Every structure is written in structure tokens, then in C-alpha cells.
């Protein structure tokens, strides 16, 4: 059985928006608060290019959302994808 390891203090967390994103109140305010907490804990954040976008309830068209997720998933600098 394989077990994941805990994130170290210098870990890089990739933040992607595979559906809605963090546009507008209250989502952006909540995200900014969480972002501050992660940064204060010593983590580095790598945000998706379309994290703050919203068009018809989606952060971007489906093909772009999929490619953004895969880009962060395959990124060797990323320790965790959220």
C-alpha cells in the first residue's frame, strides 16, 4: 500500500479551478483569506491562469480547464493540486 507524505513547510500548492473559480463575493473574499493563511504557514502557491475568471458559471471553456489542470498536475514543482 502507498501512503502520501505530509507537506513540508516549503511545499508548493497548485490552485486550479476545474469548474467555477473564485470570482465575486463571497468566493473571492474567502479564497483571499485562505491564501493568506497558507502563505503565513510557509507554503508557496501556484495559481491557475483562469482561477479568477467566470463565464456562464465556469472559470473557462472545458478544454482550457482540462489543460490547466493537467499542466499543474504534471508540474514537477507542484507538491499538491487543490
Amino acid at each position: 500500500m502507498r501512503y502520501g507524505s505530509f507537506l513540508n513547510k516549503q511545499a508548493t500548492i497548485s490552485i486550479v479551478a476545474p469548474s467555477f473559480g473564485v470570482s465575486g463575493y463571497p468566493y473571492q473574499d474567502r479564497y483571499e483569506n485562505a491564501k493568506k493563511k497558507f502563505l503565513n504557514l510557509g507554503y508557496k502557491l501556484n495559481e491557475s491562469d483562469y482561477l479568477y475568471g467566470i463565464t456562464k458559471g465556469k472559470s473557462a471553456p472545458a478544454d482550457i480547464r482540462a489543460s490547466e489542470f493537467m499542466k499543474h498536475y504534471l508540474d514537477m514543482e507542484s507538491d499538491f493540486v487543490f
Side-chain angles (χ1 to χ4, degrees), residues 55-70:
T55 305
K56 296 183 180 178
K58 300 173 198 148
S59 60
D63 58 333
I64 293 174
R65 289 180 282 144
S67 67
E68 280 289 304
F69 175 81
M70 289 307 296

Side-chain angles (χ1 to χ4, degrees), residues 25-58:
Y25 178 82
Y27 311 107
Q28 191 166 349
D29 293 345
R30 290 177 179 173
Y31 173 72
E32 293 298 332
N33 185 41
K35 181 178 173 178
K36 285 181 203 172
K37 289 183 181 192
F38 277 116
L39 293 173
N40 287 337
L41 289 171
Y43 297 112
K44 296 177 229 158
L45 297 182
N46 184 8
E47 298 176 331
S48 168
D49 294 335
Y50 296 91
L51 183 64
Y52 293 97
I54 185 167
T55 305
K56 296 183 180 178
K58 300 173 198 148

Side-chain angles (χ1 to χ4, degrees), residues 2-21:
R2 294 180 60 197
Y3 292 97
S5 59
F6 289 101
L7 292 175
N8 63 40
K9 289 293 181 184
Q10 298 301 315
T12 299
I13 300 171
S14 287
I15 310 291
V16 297
S19 61
F20 183 71

